[in-house]
Amino acid sequence: QCEQAVIALQAQHPQVHSLRDATPEMVEASRGVMSDVAYRRALYVTQENARVLAATDALKAADWAAFGQLMYD
C-alpha cells in the first residue's frame, strides 16, 4: 500500500520517491487518487515522520516539555 501511495503522490508531486519525501498535506491533497487503505497508511507514515522531525528539533533546542508532549501524541 505504501508503494501505491507513492505512485499516486508522484502524479502531483514528482519529487516524492518515498513516503519520507511527502508531507501529510500532500497525502491529503492526493486522497482522491489512492485507495482508502493506501491513504490511511501514507497519512500515518507521514504524520509519524513529521512528529519525529519535530521531536528532533525539540531535542536540539533542549525543549524538554515539547519533546515530552511529542512522545505522547
Side-chain angles (χ1 to χ4, degrees), residues 14 19 21 30 32 37 42 54-55 57 63:
L19 288 177
D21 301 324
S30 299
V37 173
D57 290 342
D63 187 345

Side-chain angles (χ1 to χ4, degrees), residues 51-73:
R51 187 172 72 95
V52 169
L53 292 173
T56 300
D57 290 342
L59 284 173
K60 287 178 182 175
D63 187 345
W64 312 121
F67 177 76
Q69 184 60 46
L70 287 163
M71 293 298 99
Y72 288 103
D73 285 347

Side-chain angles (χ1 to χ4, degrees), residues 6 8-18 21 26:
V6 168
L9 285 163
Q10 287 175 331
Q12 293 180 339
H13 307 280
Q15 73 275 21
V16 173
H17 300 289
S18 70
D21 301 324
M26 290 176 177

Side-chain angles (χ1 to χ4, degrees), residues 34-48:
M34 61 180 81
S35 71
D36 183 59
V37 173
Y39 163 75
R40 288 185 286 126
R41 296 246 194 282
L43 186 61
Y44 175 78
V45 168
T46 56
Q47 287 173 335
E48 284 300 294

